[in-house]
Amino acid sequence: MQADVPEDKLREDILDILSYCINCRFCLPSCPRFEITAGNISEGASGITRSLYYAVKWGETDKQVLNELRDILFSCTTCKNCEIACKNLSTGTKLTDAIEKGRQLLVEKMIGPMPQQRKALESLYIHGNPYEMPTSKRKAWLKSLDLPAVSAETEVLFYLGCTAPNDFNAQNMAMAFAQLLKQAQVRCGIWEDEMCCGSPSLNMGEKGLFEEIYTKNIQRFKALGIRHIVTLSPHCFDTFLNRYPQEAMQKIKVQHYSQFLSDLIEQKRLVFKNRVEKKVTYQDPCYLGRYNNVYDEPRRVLNRIPGLELVECSRNKADSLCCGGGGGRMWADFDAETNRLANIRATEGLATGAEMMVTACPWCYIHMEDGVKLIDAETSMKITGLAELCVEAL
């Protein structure tokens, strides 16, 4: 299933990228993975990429060593915090690109991915989603959205992604956004046979599967005449916008739903009439913020809700702490970790005095919901989606 990329080319690319790293370790303090391990440098951004660099440079073949390399490479959340630090303080090395190629190399060698992730990839190939959800079950759930199937009259394709049909909290996020689309009288449609965008396969090093998926999706987009896609997940948004072949997507506008909501509000197609007297904080999803610089639109939406007070966590926007769900970690656990990122983030949210933490990512929603439970703060700070809060203000 792996793409036809010779191992030599992957090795060459990895060494080329990491040749810019001067091992200054300025990235370590910003690395969330380093924050939740016992201070072992090999568990942080610089250590992970240095381990990869020397394993490739020295032509490491020992299986035990390669398994150890796999465990640290696949533990990365791909949050891109290290790259921000490197760009601001050092050489601007594309560390996450090297990690992604390192994962592909280990899959090529049949060392990767993590054992727990293999089922997700098998499901992606068989069912078109990583959650082992049959198409019939997904279609049955879609009826609850009460949205039409995409047609020639469709203004916007609402791309749900894989998580919403599979998780209760993400379902609430999707249903709330569907309600907002109806309220704004958007001519929208859903794709009943929707397939995963392919992001999990990229995260887990299976580029060949990713290429199969994007080829099928692009063919369907063209057949359906899709001109505008609005995604629920930042991961789908980033994948369509930045990882699909640009020439095939150039006539399709891609937005995350927080951007689309901001546009609807500016166009006065969506007006909030109810006051929501709450103090809230916002969790920046990595693939919305650091990957695509979408920081203002979600906050613009929140600031238009009457009565709402937005307070920021100590780490916010480009410095925001990852929830821990990215990089394929939804399907893997790592023994070296002594804490959970969502627990730390929930504690930061509580410190603001907010009674609610808002996010615009299904995976952030899931992880932060667990985070408040694990620090015993369920009654002190509720987790909700941006769309759900907007519905409350209608």
Side-chain angles (χ1 to χ4, degrees):
M1 188 64 59
Q2 182 66 352
D4 187 20
V5 179
E7 286 187 33
D8 287 348
K9 179 66 168 69
L10 286 170
R11 291 192 190 95
E12 181 184 323
D13 288 348
I14 290 164
L15 293 177
D16 182 52
I17 294 168
L18 295 180
S19 66
Y20 292 93
C21 174
I22 58 174
N23 203 23
C24 63
R25 298 182 182 172
F26 288 155
C27 57
L28 278 180
S30 68
C31 177
R33 166 72 177 172
F34 186 64
E35 187 169 340
I36 56 171
T37 50
N40 187 337
I41 289 173
S42 68
E43 303 290 349
S46 175
I48 293 172
T49 51
R50 286 291 87 189
S51 298
L52 173 62
Y53 177 78
Y54 285 112
V56 172
K57 185 175 181 179
W58 295 339
E60 185 61 66
T61 57
D62 184 274
K63 193 167 183 180
Q64 182 178 342
V65 173
L66 291 176
N67 279 332
E68 290 172 3
L69 178 64
R70 175 201 65 193
D71 291 352
I72 60 172
L73 266 184
F74 282 85
S75 71
C76 172
T77 68
T78 64
C79 72
K80 229 173 191 175
N81 235 337
C82 58
E83 284 195 15
I84 301 288
C86 193
K87 181 181 178 182
N88 292 337
L89 301 171
S90 192
T91 59
T93 304
K94 298 291 185 182
L95 299 167
T96 50
D97 288 356
I99 287 170
E100 182 179 296
K101 289 181 181 295
R103 291 177 176 183
Q104 291 173 25
L105 182 60
L106 290 182
V107 168
E108 189 74 24
K109 288 178 169 295
M110 302 187 73
I111 300 292
M114 298 299 292
Q116 311 99 299
Q117 293 173 331
R118 288 174 187 150
K119 260 191 178 179
L121 288 172
E122 288 172 10
S123 176
L124 203 51
Y125 181 71
I126 295 167
H127 299 294
N129 68 78
Y131 295 108
E132 301 181 76
M133 179 179 250
T135 305
S136 57
K137 188 176 178 182
R138 186 184 181 281
K139 282 185 176 179
W141 176 79
L142 284 177
K143 293 177 183 177
S144 65
L145 293 177
D146 192 29
L147 289 176
V150 65
S151 68
E153 290 73 41
T154 299
E155 176 187 350
V156 169
L157 169 66
F158 174 22
Y159 186 87
L160 286 142
C162 303
T163 306
N166 187 70
D167 179 84
F168 175 75
N169 290 319
Q171 286 175 3
N172 288 340
M173 185 184 282
M175 287 190 279
F177 184 59
Q179 188 175 338
L180 294 169
L181 290 170
K182 293 172 200 169
Q183 180 75 19
Q185 298 183 343
V186 177
R187 294 196 311 275
C188 64
I190 53 175
W191 177 14
E192 293 183 342
D193 295 318
E194 183 185 290
M195 180 184 288
C196 179
C197 67
S199 174
S201 54
L202 262 185
N203 289 156
M204 293 184 264
E206 246 298 359
K207 193 175 180 184
L209 180 55
F210 172 66
E211 291 176 352
E212 281 192 25
I213 290 170
Y214 79 58
T215 300
K216 289 177 183 176
N217 278 338
I218 288 169
Q219 287 171 350
R220 287 301 304 274
F221 292 159
K222 287 181 179 178
L224 293 168
I226 302 301
R227 299 178 300 278
H228 190 175
I229 300 172
V230 175
T231 73
L232 192 69
S233 169
H235 297 263
C236 302
F237 165 64
D238 177 71
T239 303
F240 290 143
L241 190 67
N242 299 317
R243 305 309 299 267
Y244 275 37
Q246 295 300 298
E247 65 278 7
M249 296 292 287
Q250 61 184 350
K251 293 183 180 179
I252 301 176
K253 183 178 182 179
V254 179
Q255 286 186 298
H256 179 257
Y257 86 85
S258 62
Q259 296 173 302
F260 191 62
L261 286 179
S262 180
D263 288 349
L264 291 177
I265 292 166
E266 292 303 311
Q267 296 160 8
K268 301 193 186 315
R269 295 173 69 181
L270 193 63
V271 179
F272 299 133
K273 298 177 181 178
N274 291 333
R275 291 185 67 81
V276 180
E277 302 286 352
K278 288 176 182 171
K279 182 187 281 191
V280 306
T281 191
Y282 177 68
Q283 163 67 6
D284 284 285
C286 302
Y287 278 71
L288 199 56
R290 278 184 288 272
Y291 275 74
N292 290 289
N293 206 33
V294 179
Y295 298 112
D296 295 338
E297 292 91 328
R299 289 171 171 82
R300 199 176 296 144
V301 172
L302 290 170
N303 285 323
R304 294 294 289 270
I305 296 176
L308 201 73
E309 180 186 356
L310 174 62
V311 292
E312 296 284 5
C313 287
S314 56
R315 291 187 275 189
N316 61 76
K317 297 187 177 178
D319 192 40
S320 184
L321 182 66
C322 176
C323 74
R329 289 170 54 101
M330 290 294 290
W331 298 278
D333 294 306
F334 298 92
D335 295 337
E337 296 175 0
T338 58
N339 200 348
R340 296 179 78 256
L341 292 170
N343 298 9
I344 298 170
R345 189 57 168 169
T347 303
E348 291 181 354
L350 282 171
T352 67
E355 56 196 288
M356 185 177 281
M357 178 177 275
V358 183
T359 189
C361 172
W363 286 351
C364 286
Y365 201 142
I366 292 166
H367 277 255
M368 294 314 306
E369 188 78 13
D370 287 342
V372 291
K373 288 176 184 175
L374 289 168
I375 66 166
D376 240 353
E378 282 180 278
T379 57
S380 303
M381 187 175 70
K382 184 184 175 186
I383 307 300
T384 194
L386 178 64
E388 292 169 79
L389 197 57
C390 289
V391 167
E392 198 175 331
L394 290 177

